[in-house]
Amino acid sequence: MRSDLMKKGVERSPHRSLFKATGLTDEELKRPIIGIANSANEVIPGHIHLNTIVEAVKAGIRMSGGTPLEFSTIGVCDGIAMGHQGMKYSLGSRELIADSIEIMGNAYPFDGLVIVPNCDKIIPGMLMAAARLNIPSIMISGGPMLAGNYKNKSIDLITVFEAIGKYSKKEITEDQLCEIEGCACPGAGSCSGMFTANSMNCLSEVLGMALPYNGTIPAVFADRIRLAKYTGMKIMELVEKDIKPSDILTLDTFKNTIIVDMAFGGSTNTSLHLPAIANEVGIKLGLDYFNELSEKTPHLCNMSPGGSHHIEDLHFAGGIPALINRLRALKTINEDCLTVTGETIGKNVMNANVLNSDVIRPLDNPYHKTGGLAVLYGNLAKNGAVVKKSAVANEMLKHEGPARVFDSEEEALESILSLKIKKGDVIVIRYEGPKGGPGMREMLAPTSAVAGVGLDKDVALITDGRFSGGTRGAAIGHVSPEGADGGLIGLVKDGDIISIDIPQNKLELKVDSQEIEIRRKNWKQPEPKIKKGYMYRYSLNVKSANTGAILE
């Protein structure tokens, strides 16, 4: 056993003494030691119940003859960090989470690892660490929040963000805003639409790193506790068979994951996190894969924010296994990819049936003929930009309009809420990328404000920052190269015409090359927005968004 390095033999008597100081018995020390990375805290609603999940995991490990040892990680809630300085730290936290688990997994040579995240950057950070450590590993998330209800209509966190815009237009009162605020998030779990957290939780099943239904069983259901117990039991089987992340996370697995992502219309942030996870197993997952596989994949699930369905609806419709089973008919899914069940993904899903064909549409009646995400290229995004096209109104799939340029999210939001943005405008928010932000802030506030003031079918928004999985409208992010790295977005001026053609994957600044060269000669590198501490060091080492914003 790998853990024998810290517990077996006469020379490890001092080590055993320290373990016994924690209350462990000789019998427990003889068993395989399973590390549990728990990101529970009292700040994130998706994580307030994770101690309960972890206790169930421990029960499963003990039932199967192992000894669980729990340790903690940090976690940032993007919703709470949104719109202020805190959001600069969210994406950077992904690397710290991965590094901290790597440290624990090497300082203590566990025989296996269970990762317990639920939200935003915690999920990919933990998956990156599992891939990097390459010891038998499995993930169990805390599960999705149930949708809220307001006046007999399902609502969620995005409803609150968009209500701010309605309040600014005096369409609702402050009391009504407060009522919506109190109803939208009814309890524990990751926010209830197909936002970043739930996109990644669902994709963990396709990656083969979590048991079926990990992505969709609601946080408050007893099924979630039982799944956690099965996860604890399954890690012992993975240890016995020595099935490691490198056996599971192959290029074909990542292609499967992109296909399913396209079918359910996931967050644009998946185009950051999947390449970063792939990088940990030595796979270069370029953005071109997203366009290539999108063209072959119909969009079958219209989840919030683009549609009215929530994760609970997807679960009752058959979950991710039913969606994969439906996609098998396209012959694009590689069914031989191994998963943590010990079986192939094809075998995992073969008996999963779609129970609601409105939530998971038939292949011949999709919501859209191609996948939910698109990568755009052009002089404004030489290395790519990403849009959740499934959440874009048909009127905005092609658009040309004058640029309204802002050097920060705050400047843009103030202008939107002051009703200074007009129909046809293209809002440009720059110097918010991985280096320039630093940290590539997620900008749900301005996109929700655009929707809230009723301009989501008339206005586009382009940024070298990123958007929430809850964003809807013609919101194009991840522009690479970013402004702070000399990208063309840093040279755009108010009034410049920008052309967007999402069906043709094009993003162009309509300014002649001579004028661009004059501007480039006069351009000056912006001052760092943070000049000390972790995020300053991060800004010096982070690579472009098209790489997954990995560190050098």
Side-chain angles (χ1 to χ4, degrees):
M1 291 188 292
R2 185 173 183 261
S3 62
D4 286 347
L5 291 169
M6 62 179 175
K7 68 181 186 181
K8 188 174 183 179
V10 173
E11 68 279 8
R12 294 294 183 257
S13 182
H15 304 62
R16 291 193 297 275
S17 180
L18 290 167
F19 276 125
K20 287 178 179 179
T22 71
L24 290 178
T25 64
D26 285 325
E27 180 56 39
E28 287 173 300
L29 288 172
K30 290 175 183 176
R31 297 175 177 178
I33 304 292
I34 308 300
I36 302 176
N38 181 7
S39 55
N41 63 48
E42 295 182 347
V43 185
I44 309 176
H47 291 233
I48 55 172
H49 64 308
L50 291 190
N51 287 332
T52 302
I53 300 293
V54 166
E55 287 306 312
V57 171
K58 290 178 182 177
I61 291 170
R62 292 186 179 114
M63 280 191 285
S64 297
T67 297
L69 292 180
E70 176 189 346
F71 61 93
S72 60
T73 73
I74 62 169
V76 174
C77 173
D78 279 14
I80 296 172
M82 194 77 63
H84 59 84
Q85 186 81 353
M87 182 49 77
K88 293 181 182 291
Y89 291 82
S90 176
L91 184 58
S93 74
R94 184 187 74 179
E95 315 309 315
L96 276 180
I97 290 164
D99 290 350
S100 66
I101 296 174
E102 174 197 355
I103 288 169
M104 292 297 287
N106 284 316
Y108 305 97
F110 302 123
D111 297 299
L113 177 70
V114 180
I115 53 176
V116 189
N118 206 31
C119 293
D120 300 310
K121 311 309 160 286
I122 302 102
I123 302 161
M126 286 192 169
L127 286 168
M128 288 164 66
R132 191 182 302 171
L133 285 168
N134 200 33
I135 60 175
S137 302
I138 191 170
M139 171 179 153
I140 170 71
S141 76
M145 186 185 292
L146 294 174
N149 188 285
Y150 180 65
K151 296 184 176 178
N152 292 320
K153 290 185 178 180
S154 292
I155 65 170
D156 54 41
L157 179 66
I158 307 311
T159 313
V160 190
F161 274 98
E162 294 183 359
I164 296 170
K166 292 180 179 179
Y167 173 73
S168 72
K169 289 187 69 178
K170 304 188 185 308
E171 292 180 2
I172 61 172
T173 66
E174 188 171 353
D175 285 344
Q176 288 173 314
L177 177 61
C178 187
E179 287 176 10
I180 293 169
E181 165 191 321
C183 298
C185 300
S190 48
C191 296
S192 57
M194 192 57 82
F195 316 143
T196 303
N198 288 325
S199 295
M200 291 304 300
N201 276 330
C202 288
L203 292 181
S204 68
E205 295 182 39
V206 200
L207 284 170
M209 292 297 293
L211 294 178
Y213 306 102
N214 172 72
T216 58
I217 296 173
V220 295
F221 281 19
D223 277 352
R224 175 67 50 181
I225 301 299
R226 287 192 286 272
L227 189 72
K229 290 179 180 178
Y230 289 133
T231 298
M233 297 163 70
K234 187 59 67 173
I235 187 61
M236 298 303 297
E237 182 182 320
L238 295 173
V239 169
E240 182 182 354
K241 295 179 178 178
D242 195 31
I243 296 175
K244 300 185 290 291
S246 60
D247 301 316
I248 294 171
L249 296 172
T250 65
L251 179 58
D252 283 333
T253 293
F254 283 103
K255 288 181 178 180
N256 284 349
T257 306
I258 294 172
I259 290 168
V260 176
D261 189 12
M262 294 301 142
F264 67 49
S267 164
T268 53
N269 286 312
T270 61
S271 66
L272 278 178
H273 301 319
L274 292 178
I277 297 165
N279 180 66
E280 297 293 346
V281 287
I283 295 171
K284 186 175 181 179
L285 196 70
L287 290 181
D288 286 343
Y289 282 115
F290 288 80
N291 274 348
E292 174 191 335
L293 296 170
S294 179
E295 288 301 310
K296 301 175 182 178
T297 309
H299 176 221
L300 303 181
C301 304
N302 205 21
M303 314 294 293
S304 176
S308 60
H309 297 136
H310 292 86
I311 302 300
E312 64 204 69
D313 301 313
L314 179 58
H315 183 64
F316 294 133
I320 298 302
L323 175 60
I324 297 171
N325 198 15
R326 178 153 280 179
L327 291 167
R328 289 169 67 207
L330 295 174
K331 305 296 183 183
T332 54
I333 293 283
N334 185 322
E335 299 185 29
D336 295 328
C337 293
L338 184 65
T339 74
V340 290
T341 66
E343 303 288 352
T344 65
I345 191 145
K347 190 165 184 180
N348 285 351
V349 307
M350 63 171 41
N351 295 317
N353 296 313
V354 173
L355 304 176
N356 185 330
S357 287
D358 184 41
V359 178
I360 304 175
R361 286 272 185 94
L363 294 175
D364 60 1
N365 184 31
Y367 286 100
H368 301 93
K369 291 181 180 179
T370 57
L373 299 183
V375 180
L376 312 184
Y377 292 97
N379 66 349
L380 195 53
K382 183 180 176 182
N383 296 329
V386 184
V387 61
K388 188 170 185 174
K389 64 180 180 181
S390 60
V392 179
N394 288 333
E395 300 94 316
M396 292 300 295
L397 290 172
K398 291 185 178 182
H399 181 74
E400 192 165 288
R404 295 291 307 279
V405 182
F406 303 94
D407 288 348
S408 71
E409 175 187 0
E410 288 83 356
E411 292 175 20
L413 182 60
E414 189 278 331
S415 190
I416 296 164
L417 292 177
S418 299
L419 307 180
K420 295 176 182 177
I421 300 299
K422 307 302 180 186
K423 288 185 177 183
D425 285 348
V426 178
I427 302 166
V428 176
I429 306 177
R430 62 191 179 193
Y431 303 130
E432 290 285 10
K435 287 182 183 293
M440 201 182 182
R441 280 198 287 181
E442 190 170 275
M443 289 182 241
L444 181 56
T447 58
S448 296
V450 166
V453 299
L455 290 174
D456 54 303
K457 295 182 180 180
D458 302 289
V459 166
L461 197 156
I462 298 172
T463 182
D464 52 10
R466 61 192 176 90
F467 296 115
S468 163
T471 291
R472 64 184 174 96
I476 300 166
H478 304 208
V479 169
S480 301
E482 63 176 290
D485 212 21
L488 187 59
I489 193 173
L491 305 181
V492 180
K493 291 185 177 181
D494 273 345
D496 287 349
I497 300 300
I498 293 176
S499 175
I500 300 163
D501 190 336
I502 294 173
Q504 295 299 315
N505 305 107
K506 291 181 179 179
L507 181 63
E508 293 282 341
L509 176 67
K510 294 296 189 74
V511 174
D512 69 66
S513 57
Q514 287 183 326
E515 172 63 19
I516 288 173
E517 285 309 307
I518 292 170
R519 293 183 190 182
R520 193 174 296 284
K521 288 177 182 177
N522 294 323
W523 180 78
K524 293 182 180 179
Q525 182 80 33
E527 282 284 312
K529 294 178 182 176
I530 295 178
K531 300 181 180 180
K532 63 180 181 180
Y534 172 70
M535 287 310 295
Y536 175 67
R537 298 195 304 274
Y538 176 90
S539 70
L540 297 178
N541 293 285
V542 69
K543 296 180 73 174
S544 176
N546 67 294
T547 70
I550 60 175
L551 296 184
E552 295 277 9

